[in-house]
């Protein structure tokens, strides 16, 4: 429960950051730089990764299904 509160606080802090600060945080969280300058995309992406790191990512089943959908040809 405490971990969720910390994530929630960090998400609030992310929303207050500048694009430059978010890009720096992105490097910390993902281990690589981003070329994005879209503030909304950056804070959402960082928040998602922080939550996935804290609580676990997608299940193997969900990961496989996502891959199937991504490879679907119309």
């Amino acid at each position: 429960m405490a971990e969720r509160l910390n994530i929630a606080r960090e998400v609030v802090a992310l929303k207050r950051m500048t694009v430059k600060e978010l890009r720096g945080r992105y490097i910390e969280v993902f281990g690589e730089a981003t070329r994005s300058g879209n503030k909304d995309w950056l804070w959402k992406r960082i928040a998602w990764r922080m939550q996935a790191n804290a609580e676990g990512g997608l299940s193997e089943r969900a990961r496989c299904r996502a891959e199937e959908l991504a490879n679907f040809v119309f």
Side-chain angles (χ1 to χ4, degrees), residues 23-73:
R23 289 178 70 157
R25 185 73 174 117
Y26 186 96
I27 292 170
E28 292 172 15
V29 173
F30 286 90
E32 62 187 31
T34 180
R35 294 187 303 175
S36 178
N38 185 310
K39 186 174 181 174
D40 284 337
W41 183 85
L42 286 166
W43 80 257
K44 288 175 186 178
R45 182 87 169 132
I46 295 165
W48 173 82
R49 177 54 72 96
M50 288 174 12
Q51 180 179 347
N53 288 346
E55 298 182 20
L58 295 174
S59 67
E60 186 60 32
R61 180 175 178 225
R63 200 178 340 269
C64 288
R65 181 66 176 137
E67 187 174 337
E68 288 173 9
L69 292 172
N71 291 326
F72 182 76
V73 178

Side-chain angles (χ1 to χ4, degrees), residues 2-22:
E3 185 69 32
R4 286 185 183 179
L5 289 175
N6 289 338
I7 297 293
R9 284 188 200 117
E10 288 194 50
V11 169
V12 170
L14 289 172
K15 290 182 181 183
R16 294 183 183 138
M17 290 182 176
T18 65
V19 170
K20 184 177 180 180
E21 291 169 329
L22 287 167

